[in-house]
Amino acid sequence: MQSIMLRMNVMSALEARVDEPIPVALIGPGVFGAHLVYQIEETPGMVPTILADLDIEKAKRTFEKTGIDADEVVFSNDSDDVAGAIDAGKRVVTEDGVVASEAPVEVVIETTGDPQAAARHAWSAIGAENDVVMVSVEVDSTIGPLLSQYASQQGVTYSMAYGDEPSQVVGMVDWARANGFEVVAAGQGTELNFNRHATHEDSLDRYGVTEKFREDNDPDPKMYNTFLDGTKVAVELCAAANAMGMRPDVSGTHMPETDREGLLETFRPKADGGVLDQTGVIDSVTPTDYRNPSAFVVTRAENEATQRYLDQRYNILTANDGEYQLFDRQYHLPPETLVSVASVALHDHPTGVVREQTSEVVAKAKRDLEPGETLATGEDTIYGILEAADVADAEGWVPLELLNGAEVKQSISTDDTISEADVELHTDSVLYHLRKLQDELV
């Protein structure tokens, strides 16, 4: 819904930029980022100007697959050289994400998925007065409020990426509220082969990744394992919740296994036959049929005439004689992030932005952990769950992304939540310092 609205608003403006297209820097051309680059090149009014990756050959191959002649591509890690190449109309590849984030472009897209690197890149881009579209949602779930506030002070736009679920959830909630509905619950679908204690060793097989896809895209098994152990959905729900001022109804969310009709039956107040103790909550669903919602919102209509009208509509799923409704979207695609690029560059309008920390992702142990072990998401030590931020703070639980590289100080049992007393954190990281700054200022 939001995607169609934004495309209608920006297409004519993009066409007006054909002779002076929006220059875009993209950091981390992996599976998501590369497919986004391909479509930026096909879209009038914008151009992929600079790609950054530690694997420089990957960045070069991305430009090659985009159809750009190798003679038009310059490699440099020097800021002045990069600026000169861009001014000369060349495309640039660099190993340095900070150089890319500070380059003379209009929009920086961060797609590395590495929260430490992504935090540094976003901070640098905002400082250079570039708009930022954040695909690395781990950053939004941890320091999104700080980055959005910093961007506002710098006079630039910081935005979620519409090609990923959190922005689409935010868009559906915004649509529902703007149409006078009460938002009962909102969220996204999870994977069918979900396993909290799964490891990365066989994650690509469990995800069903084909050999051809592996050859073409070099997928990261640790990243795919975060989809399969529930960490990724917790992170994405956290970012969406914090953009909308929502929180989970229960620790870890309800996450029912059900079909589309059961989703609407479940996400209603207990008094009306559902499971919710409160409304306006974030949650997720594991579908038992083919419809895995990329984003959904359960709404309530107060007016009885509206309830009757909606109940009579053949294409709207309702419950309680039309009082509750389900609206959902089945897919998200990397190229849809172009909506965000156009929206921030042309209208200074984010497609979702995190402004507060109402929810938090905390970590639980995948197995018994002993002193001296090092923690890391996506492997065999910890998984993330969603928690209300005030509960996490009161319990002393550590935000998930601050635990990467932390050392265990005392024995932790399987499925125990990790607290500050359990670990030695890396306090010299960019992400740690920015989170501490956020805790003080936002």
Side-chain angles (χ1 to χ4, degrees):
M1 300 171 186
Q2 184 190 40
S3 174
I4 294 172
M5 178 182 68
L6 289 172
R7 286 186 187 279
M8 289 174 61
N9 288 342
V10 303
M11 201 60 227
S12 60
L14 280 175
E15 290 172 345
R17 290 289 302 266
V18 168
D19 294 330
E20 191 179 348
I22 300 164
V24 177
L26 186 138
I27 308 173
V31 176
F32 191 109
H35 285 280
L36 180 52
V37 172
Y38 305 152
Q39 292 308 113
I40 293 175
E41 183 69 14
E42 299 298 322
T43 302
M46 62 177 70
V47 58
T49 300
I50 178 170
L51 302 183
D53 200 281
L54 294 175
D55 182 350
I56 200 65
E57 293 304 316
K58 180 188 290 186
K60 290 179 178 178
R61 286 196 303 272
T62 301
F63 268 140
E64 179 183 349
K65 291 181 179 180
T66 305
I68 296 166
D69 195 293
D71 293 339
E72 295 300 313
V73 179
V74 173
F75 166 73
S76 179
N77 290 325
D78 180 81
S79 296
D80 291 336
D81 290 346
V82 167
I86 292 175
D87 188 57
K90 298 288 187 179
R91 312 298 181 98
V92 178
V93 294
T94 180
E95 296 166 309
D96 194 328
V98 173
V99 168
S101 66
E102 295 177 345
V105 295
E106 291 187 38
V107 181
V108 174
I109 309 173
E110 218 298 335
T111 68
T112 63
D114 180 334
Q116 295 288 349
R120 185 182 302 109
H121 298 153
W123 192 263
S124 297
I126 294 169
E129 298 184 353
N130 286 326
D131 294 329
V132 176
V133 174
M134 180 56 71
V135 179
S136 300
V137 70
E138 295 83 358
V139 169
D140 271 336
S141 68
T142 310
I143 57 168
L146 178 68
L147 291 175
S148 65
Q149 186 175 103
Y150 182 37
S152 179
Q153 292 171 350
Q154 290 292 101
V156 296
T157 304
Y158 179 80
S159 176
M160 294 171 133
Y162 191 73
D164 211 358
E165 291 103 321
S167 177
Q168 294 186 355
V169 174
V170 172
M172 294 197 78
V173 168
D174 188 61
W175 171 87
R177 288 170 173 169
N179 282 281
F181 293 113
E182 175 192 352
V183 174
V184 178
Q188 65 188 72
T190 65
E191 298 303 326
L192 295 173
N193 45 358
F194 188 75
N195 182 350
R196 290 287 191 192
H197 304 120
T199 73
H200 63 289
E201 295 175 351
D202 64 345
S203 62
L204 297 182
D205 293 332
R206 286 184 291 111
Y207 201 85
V209 177
T210 65
E211 289 299 327
K212 178 62 175 174
F213 187 88
R214 299 182 203 199
E215 292 173 7
D216 290 344
N217 297 280
D218 189 27
D220 180 0
K222 295 178 183 179
M223 185 271 287
Y224 274 79
N225 195 42
T226 63
F227 293 130
L228 301 176
D229 67 11
T231 298
K232 193 70 171 182
V233 72
V235 170
E236 292 177 337
L237 291 174
C238 182
N242 292 340
M244 300 177 295
M246 301 173 77
R247 52 188 281 153
D249 186 49
V250 295
S251 176
T253 70
H254 292 285
M255 203 176 292
E257 293 188 25
T258 184
D259 59 13
R260 190 166 179 260
E261 287 74 15
L263 188 160
L264 181 57
E265 295 294 324
T266 301
F267 290 133
R268 292 178 295 162
K270 287 181 177 178
D272 289 326
V275 302
L276 300 181
D277 288 313
Q278 55 191 320
T279 59
V281 299
I282 196 80
D283 218 299
S284 57
V285 61
T286 297
T288 55
D289 60 6
Y290 70 96
R291 292 181 62 96
N292 187 354
S294 175
F296 71 84
V297 60
V298 174
T299 56
R300 178 179 178 272
E302 179 73 27
N303 184 276
E304 291 185 4
T306 300
Q307 294 174 10
R308 290 194 300 272
Y309 170 75
L310 294 172
D311 198 36
Q312 293 165 5
R313 294 293 299 265
Y314 74 92
N315 56 353
I316 297 177
L317 188 62
T318 63
N320 291 59
D321 299 322
E323 183 178 1
Y324 296 97
Q325 310 84 34
L326 171 67
F327 301 96
D328 64 333
R329 192 179 197 269
Q330 282 189 257
Y331 66 91
H332 65 282
L333 299 170
E336 292 185 281
T337 300
L338 271 65
V339 173
S340 302
V341 174
S343 183
V344 301
L346 299 172
H347 301 311
D348 300 320
H349 180 74
T351 53
V353 61
V354 177
R355 301 191 189 279
E356 55 186 321
Q357 198 79 31
T358 55
S359 295
E360 195 80 78
V361 183
V362 297
K364 288 181 177 289
K366 285 189 174 183
R367 55 175 173 79
D368 290 348
L369 301 173
E370 299 300 330
E373 293 196 70
T374 301
L375 304 181
T377 56
E379 298 184 6
D380 68 341
T381 54
I382 55 175
Y383 63 89
I385 69 161
L386 189 67
E387 185 59 80
D390 55 353
V391 173
D393 183 61
E395 296 289 344
W397 294 332
V398 183
L400 174 76
E401 305 302 341
L402 301 188
L403 288 170
N404 279 301
E407 183 177 317
V408 177
K409 292 196 302 184
Q410 58 188 20
S411 296
I412 305 171
S413 299
T414 302
D415 294 323
D416 278 356
T417 309
I418 313 296
S419 70
E420 290 188 34
D422 295 324
V423 294
E424 188 72 38
L425 298 175
H426 280 252
T427 59
D428 58 350
S429 73
V430 172
L431 191 65
Y432 176 87
H433 284 287
L434 290 180
R435 177 53 191 251
K436 291 302 179 184
L437 186 61
Q438 173 177 292
D439 290 342
E440 294 175 8
L441 299 180
V442 179

